[in-house]
Amino acid sequence: MSTQSIPSVKLLINGEFVESKTSQWRDIVNPATQEVLARVPFATAEEMNAAVASAAEAFKTWRKTPIGVRARIFLKYQQLIRDNIKELAAILTAEQGKTLPDAEGDVFRGLEVVEHAANIGSLQMGELANNVAGGVDTYTLNQPLGVCAGITPFNFPAMIPLWMFPMAIACGNTFVLKPSEQDPMVTMRLAELALEAGIPKGVLNVIHGGAEAVDLLCDHPQIKAVSFVGSTRVGTHVYNRATASGKRAQCMMGAKNHAIVLPDANKQQTLNNLLGAAYGAAGQRCMALSVVILVGEAQSWLPELVEKSKTLKVGAGAEPGTDVGPLVSRAAFDRVSSLIERGVAEGAELLLDGRNVQVPGYADGNFVAPTLFAGVTAEMSIYREEIFGPVLCVMHADTFDEAIAIINANPNGNGTALFTRSGAAARHFQEEIDIGQVGINVPIPVPVPLFSFTGSRASKLGDLGPYGKQVVQFYTQTKTVTQRWFDEDEVGGPVNTTITLK
């Protein structure tokens, strides 16, 4: 296929989808077939600056838009997403590799945040205290910051953009989004629907690029806040660079999520949950359950866990019945394969090897089948590094407290889970575990948008989460007003006195 016949991904600047004038492009490749689906531009500095300037100009009027008008836009937007969810999932599957049900789930979890944004009328309300002194009232206003920016990863190209720009824009800000250059097409379709829902020109802008685009968003003086989801290496860079230039920043980063299985757990439900959490989305989730600690007699469940892992179907995401799709890129495939090899070299017991899997009709796909290591220790590379593939590491502990100590010793803190039938054990776990998000018989404890995403420790930089109530605080500045009104015949007090609080 000639370069001229390959579609190009556009930029969104000031309400218009425009062709980039850049000379630097990257192919978007179907990970199951290696077919080139489109080309994405690495925007020029002039184009990126134009996007920020457009957002800054739009903020002048958008910030004063009535809150009910903003809410109604997101009511319409959520309906448009619902109406187009099949199309969005198909685009996502083609460029990212997820199974179609998983792709629909990706879109739906983002849709939930859009629905939450439609409640901005209550979420953004301030507080008032009447008569804090004689005739004096104090109240707060939660006002928008200005231009905000988001940098999103390849693994959730629908959900995570929808975590970011709807809440920022609903709060009265304008936004510049940089989606992953590996799979931006579903993000651009979501941007089209956002304009159709009524978001005015300049309020949402989308640029594309790599490290230079990230740095421009972190450094630009007109951008007030940066939200990031992705690897720990890039997230640390973003946080340090953005905060050094005086911006607010929230960075959700890498993880190593553990589950503890106690002998009293419901065996079949637990094993099934472990499969989905470890191998779903080909393990390419920051909340993937990549380590299982079997405690005491639960260690005897290992052979059945291996056999169940063998039953999962590996294939192209669009094929019916597929459980595990391809990894997003050849580079990701090579990295996961290399880490499996290192696990063997470092002494882990490879009970199930997913390398060299054959998928009929997709000889060139980036496929790794479910892979399972036993006898994993904290010193091994497969434990220390985030594999980001369908690889499950099994550890063993003699006691519950020993298992908790293993988790608390890991530097990451995104999520953890416990499988048990004991309320006392669950209560002990949630009190003693030092992790931001805890599941009790729930393997991937990502909260619904009524609550905030609360990863912790090395998995997060910044105090506030990317959605829920916390994100309203992130995207607004609190202004406190203390006011007093005098009657016409009242005489003012002497000079240089303060309000007497009595």
Side-chain angles (χ1 to χ4, degrees):
M1 184 182 294
S2 67
T3 301
Q4 290 75 19
S5 62
I6 299 173
S8 60
V9 177
K10 305 298 189 289
L11 307 172
L12 174 57
I13 301 175
N14 199 31
E16 299 291 335
F17 291 95
V18 296
E19 190 81 47
S20 176
K21 297 179 180 178
T22 187
S23 60
Q24 185 179 359
W25 296 80
R26 173 177 175 144
D27 290 341
I28 302 169
V29 178
N30 183 316
T33 64
Q34 307 307 315
E35 174 193 0
V36 177
L37 302 174
R39 297 190 310 149
V40 61
F42 280 39
T44 66
E46 292 78 12
E47 290 165 341
M48 292 188 285
N49 284 320
V52 177
S54 169
E57 182 64 26
F59 178 66
K60 296 176 182 178
T61 52
W62 180 247
R63 66 187 297 268
K64 298 179 180 179
T65 301
I67 202 164
V69 173
R70 286 183 261 143
R72 283 189 289 274
I73 287 174
F74 288 100
L75 283 172
K76 183 175 181 180
Y77 189 37
Q78 64 88 22
Q79 188 59 52
L80 287 170
I81 293 173
R82 286 182 183 277
D83 292 344
N84 292 276
I85 194 167
K86 296 291 185 183
E87 176 200 357
L88 291 163
I91 296 170
L92 197 160
T93 292
E95 63 178 342
Q96 202 277 341
K98 289 186 180 184
T99 66
L100 282 171
D102 200 9
E104 285 195 33
D106 187 329
V107 177
F108 184 79
R109 290 307 301 266
L111 170 62
E112 290 181 315
V113 179
V114 176
E115 292 172 338
H116 194 60
N119 293 316
I120 195 62
S122 58
L123 295 172
Q124 202 173 346
M125 288 194 297
E127 299 175 315
L128 183 144
N130 182 235
N131 279 328
V132 296
V136 178
D137 303 327
T138 298
Y139 58 92
T140 59
L141 307 172
N142 296 321
Q143 296 186 318
L145 300 175
V147 182
C148 300
I151 301 162
T152 62
F154 74 84
N155 57 329
F156 284 92
M159 181 184 79
I160 295 181
L162 292 175
W163 278 11
M164 294 183 184
F165 74 80
M167 290 304 302
I169 290 172
C171 287
N173 302 287
T174 55
F175 208 83
V176 180
L177 176 67
K178 193 210 86 65
S180 170
E181 64 275 18
Q182 296 190 70
D183 48 10
M185 295 195 302
V186 69
T187 310
M188 296 310 296
R189 181 66 181 123
L190 286 167
E192 292 175 358
L193 294 175
L195 297 192
E196 185 178 340
I199 291 180
K201 68 177 185 178
V203 171
L204 173 64
N205 302 270
V206 186
I207 63 172
H208 305 289
E212 291 183 359
V214 169
D215 287 347
L216 182 141
L217 296 178
C218 292
D219 296 343
H220 201 291
Q222 288 184 292
I223 292 177
K224 305 303 181 185
V226 177
S227 182
F228 170 88
V229 176
S231 71
T232 296
R233 179 184 63 82
V234 179
T236 302
H237 171 80
V238 167
Y239 185 82
N240 291 338
R241 190 148 184 162
T243 55
S245 62
K247 296 174 175 55
R248 294 185 182 185
Q250 55 175 204
C251 296
M252 308 299 122
M253 305 184 297
K256 199 71 177 180
N257 305 310
H258 303 66
I260 294 175
V261 179
L262 297 183
D264 71 337
N266 183 299
K267 185 177 181 180
Q268 295 307 317
Q269 290 182 3
T270 297
L271 292 175
N272 290 336
N273 273 270
L274 294 180
L275 294 187
Y279 305 127
Q284 297 175 119
R285 293 188 285 217
C286 68
M287 289 295 291
L289 199 60
S290 55
V291 181
V292 172
I293 306 173
L294 301 177
V295 178
E297 294 177 3
Q299 296 175 30
S300 65
W301 299 7
L302 180 57
E304 191 168 345
L305 178 59
V306 173
E307 291 305 310
K308 280 184 171 289
S309 298
K310 291 178 181 178
T311 66
L312 298 181
K313 179 183 176 181
V314 180
E319 293 290 335
T322 296
D323 298 303
V324 181
L327 296 170
V328 70
S329 67
R330 183 56 60 174
F333 173 86
D334 291 342
R335 181 179 181 278
V336 171
S337 300
S338 175
L339 279 166
I340 295 172
E341 185 175 343
R342 285 165 62 185
V344 174
E346 293 176 6
E349 186 180 0
L350 184 58
L351 298 183
L352 186 60
D353 188 352
R355 295 172 295 179
N356 303 314
V357 62
Q358 302 299 312
V359 179
Y362 297 93
D364 296 326
N366 307 325
F367 296 106
V368 175
T371 297
L372 190 147
F373 282 102
V376 176
T377 66
E379 294 74 30
M380 294 177 178
S381 298
I382 54 173
Y383 179 79
R384 290 185 289 105
E385 296 190 32
E386 186 176 24
I387 300 173
F388 233 58
V391 181
L392 180 60
C393 297
V394 178
M395 305 176 79
H396 303 276
D398 292 329
T399 67
F400 187 20
D401 284 332
E402 180 187 341
I404 290 174
I406 291 171
I407 299 174
N408 285 344
N410 191 283
N412 295 292
N414 232 11
T416 188
L418 171 69
F419 290 91
T420 183
R421 297 185 189 186
S422 168
R427 182 89 166 83
H428 179 71
F429 182 68
Q430 72 182 37
E431 287 296 313
E432 297 300 322
I433 205 72
D434 184 21
I435 301 293
Q437 298 172 122
V438 177
I440 307 297
N441 297 315
V442 175
I444 303 180
V446 178
V448 297
L450 295 173
F451 297 86
S452 297
F453 189 96
T454 53
S456 63
R457 299 196 284 163
S459 296
K460 177 183 177 182
L461 288 171
D463 296 329
L464 301 171
Y467 60 78
K469 294 178 181 178
Q470 290 184 9
V471 83
V472 177
Q473 299 176 52
F474 180 75
Y475 284 127
T476 60
Q477 177 66 50
T478 302
K479 181 181 290 183
T480 305
V481 180
T482 302
Q483 72 173 15
R484 179 179 185 179
W485 297 99
F486 295 104
D487 293 333
E488 290 296 327
D489 58 353
E490 189 171 347
V491 178
V495 177
N496 294 329
T497 62
T498 59
I499 297 171
T500 303
L501 301 178
K502 64 179 182 180

